[in-house]
Amino acid sequence: MKKTIHLVVPDKIGTIAPEIYGHFSEHIGGVFYDGLWVGKDSKIPNVNGFRKHIIDKMKQIHAPVLRWPGGCFAETYDWRDGIGENRPVRPNWWTEKDGRYEPNSVGTHEFVDLCEMIGAKPYFAVNVTSITPLHARDWMDYCLSPRGTTTLALEREKNGHPEPFDIPYWGIGNENWGGGGNMTPDYYALEYRRFATILKNIPSAPKDLIAGGANGGDYNWTRRLTDSMQGIRRILGGMSFHYYCGKAGDCVDFTAEQWYELLEKAYRMDELITRHWGVLQGYKMEKEMKLVIDEWGCWHPDGSGPSKGYNLFEQQSTMRDAVISAITLNIFNNQCDKIKMANVAQLVNNLHCLFLAGGENCIETPTFHVFDMFKTHQNGTAIKTVAENNDALDARVSVSASVKDGVMTVTLANCNCAEDAEVSLNLLGGSYAGKATVTTLKGDAMNSHNTFEAPNAVAPIEVSDVALDGAITVPAAGVVSVRVSIA
Ligand code: AHR
């Protein structure tokens, strides 16, 4: 398949917020115990109890933000359980089925420490279903009040952190249409108003609070919630929604037909962004707030990961997941003027993960490599791209491009699972000022993946000094990033 893609330098879309490349870690299945957290006394290399391998790799991809503690878990979480010595063990529906209870070894201090080691900002999800606004206010007070001021700031100091934590993002609830209380949009809107008003009351509260949003294409949720905020718009800083593109066949053992079925579902993200944004535009709120897609990814049937189903929602990650990661991140770049943040679900041993870990083993999935290949988009100016003959899914190459400090990043994914694409990159309104560095991610097959036994079966290959006057190859079921100076 041959294709020309035009890169229109003067046609600027907006700045790509680094937070679009965000992550999510919930107390669910094997994400923390023993994915991220191995404990300070573990033989597994760790820093302050967290797996060193993952810290190093997260630094490598410039992970900007990490959401915590859930997810649905957030709606039964009492922040007090994770503070100080002698922490209580609690029920946790999301691990109990595996015979595990919540030990609260990772609480506020440990999680913020992890973020600081990675260089990511924390994004806290506040429980609105089973605690009061005052209890949530106390968490914010504990975390954000200046040194030596409130009683809770003094308690934080006693627990080893005199200075306030840097937690810029706070979400109010999670999936309140479902696991977060089975609320109607109108009921949630009232809860949001209560919580946000009380939280905004404290001087150190962050500027923007993020509202718990819709399930996929439930535009009515966004509409009712936005409608309820008219007159008190200052308490709303971001509107979330979640979209899992779901499954098509087995995670690893799927057909070509199922390949296209799942990619089609992933492409739905584009329409969801446009239409949720349309609701905000309808209320003329687009200058005040943006969308936060704080859970996204594929959700395959359980059991394909190394724990063989012990860790809830743990799944393998193949080149299909990598191509869907690339499609989704390209959609985000191309719609970056509407998006404040996005968080792939989840980081380790769960759903669309970047790492699979257990005991001494820890490997990167193909999705990790996509995040690595796309990282130079962060803070870039996205520009318009036009791909010729790109309508049919099996003849489509997903693309986005951005420019930062005179260097252009173009990221491409071949939606065809069997045929390579030969792509000419035609620069309009600028010229190439040197040769390109081209990084390619592909496997032997569309379901290639990494395992503990073969951790580098899928790994990127970088080639420098590539002239862009000819076509570049985007392999079948493959992902490519191109970096080149432009004038
Ligand atoms: O990511 C796993 C679960 O999926 C989260 O807890 C919930 O928010 C979503 O339904």
Side-chain angles (χ1 to χ4, degrees), residues 35-46:
L36 279 160
W37 178 259
V38 293
K40 292 180 183 168
D41 300 329
S42 172
K43 287 201 196 94
I44 298 166
N46 70 85

Side-chain angles (χ1 to χ4, degrees), residues 4-50:
T4 298
I5 296 179
H6 306 282
L7 309 168
V8 194
V9 178
D11 202 342
K12 299 179 172 54
I13 300 168
T15 302
I16 299 171
E19 290 80 4
I20 283 176
Y21 289 82
H23 302 274
F24 173 36
S25 55
E26 179 172 9
H27 289 241
I28 185 173
V31 176
F32 275 94
Y33 314 110
D34 75 346
L36 279 160
W37 178 259
V38 293
K40 292 180 183 168
D41 300 329
S42 172
K43 287 201 196 94
I44 298 166
N46 70 85
V47 191
N48 300 344
F50 289 101

Side-chain angles (χ1 to χ4, degrees), residues 100-141:
R100 287 177 286 183
Y101 292 83
E102 175 56 49
N104 283 301
S105 311
V106 175
T108 299
H109 285 258
E110 291 77 18
F111 181 74
V112 173
D113 186 35
L114 170 67
C115 289
E116 285 172 359
M117 290 189 286
I118 290 171
K121 300 283 187 209
Y123 169 21
F124 277 16
V126 171
N127 176 353
V128 304
T129 306
S130 51
I131 62 164
T132 65
L134 193 62
H135 197 66
R137 194 282 313 262
D138 285 349
W139 196 14
M140 197 177 261
D141 173 6

Side-chain angles (χ1 to χ4, degrees), residues 24 26 28 67 70-73 94 174-175 177 242 244 295 299 313 345-346 350-351:
F24 173 36
E26 179 172 9
I28 185 173
R67 181 172 180 247
C72 289
F73 175 78
W94 303 99
N174 176 76
E175 296 195 349
W177 39 263
H242 291 176
Y244 289 96
E295 289 184 32
W299 195 316
F313 303 154
Q346 299 199 14
N350 196 275
L351 302 178

Side-chain angles (χ1 to χ4, degrees), residues 6 55 230 292 322 336 350 470:
H6 306 282
I55 294 171
Q230 302 310 306
V292 175
C336 66
N350 196 275

Side-chain angles (χ1 to χ4, degrees), residues 337-354:
D337 52 330
K338 309 173 184 67
I339 308 173
K340 185 191 191 83
M341 188 196 308
N343 309 74
V344 62
Q346 299 199 14
L347 188 59
V348 198
N349 292 344
N350 196 275
L351 302 178
H352 200 116
C353 58
L354 280 73

Side-chain angles (χ1 to χ4, degrees), residues 177-373:
W177 39 263
N182 281 311
M183 300 176 191
T184 63
D186 295 332
Y187 185 88
Y188 172 72
L190 295 176
E191 289 294 309
Y192 181 88
R193 292 160 65 117
R194 266 172 16 112
F195 275 76
T197 304
I198 300 306
L199 291 177
K200 279 276 181 184
N201 246 342
I202 71 169
S204 45
K207 194 166 113 331
D208 293 338
L209 298 176
I210 296 160
N215 182 16
D218 182 0
Y219 306 110
N220 185 50
W221 179 278
T222 305
R223 194 174 308 112
R224 306 287 308 181
L225 186 53
T226 312
D227 195 59
S228 163
M229 294 301 151
Q230 302 310 306
I232 45 169
R233 285 154 67 139
R234 64 180 177 81
I235 66 168
L236 186 60
M239 176 67 76
S240 113
F241 75 85
H242 291 176
Y243 178 58
Y244 289 96
C245 62
K247 63 177 193 296
D250 182 69
C251 179
V252 177
D253 190 13
F254 54 86
T255 63
E257 200 176 35
Q258 289 163 338
W259 165 277
Y260 292 112
E261 188 187 332
L262 198 56
L263 264 59
E264 192 75 62
K265 289 182 183 176
Y267 262 107
R268 194 162 165 242
M269 181 65 89
D270 204 31
E271 179 194 325
L272 293 172
I273 293 167
T274 305
R275 294 189 60 185
H276 281 294
W277 183 248
V279 175
L280 302 184
Q281 277 183 311
Y283 287 92
K284 299 202 180 332
M285 293 180 83
E286 67 270 29
K287 291 212 167 51
E288 295 159 44
M289 61 184 291
K290 288 189 176 177
L291 297 171
V292 175
I293 303 132
D294 45 18
E295 289 184 32
W296 68 267
C298 298
W299 195 316
H300 299 292
D302 253 17
S304 54
S307 78
K308 304 273 179 275
Y310 173 67
N311 289 330
L312 185 73
F313 303 154
E314 182 188 88
Q315 59 193 36
Q316 251 300 353
S317 177
T318 70
M319 278 309 298
R320 183 168 61 158
D321 301 283
V323 166
I324 285 175
S325 305
I327 288 171
T328 306
L329 294 172
N330 279 337
I331 290 171
F332 291 161
N333 290 341
N334 290 327
Q335 300 236 42
C336 66
D337 52 330
K338 309 173 184 67
I339 308 173
K340 185 191 191 83
M341 188 196 308
N343 309 74
V344 62
Q346 299 199 14
L347 188 59
V348 198
N349 292 344
N350 196 275
L351 302 178
H352 200 116
C353 58
L354 280 73
F355 304 94
L356 288 166
E360 310 243 316
N361 295 303
C362 184
I363 58 168
E364 289 75 66
T365 66
T367 290
F368 168 87
H369 295 303
V370 173
F371 273 81
D372 199 23
M373 290 162 66

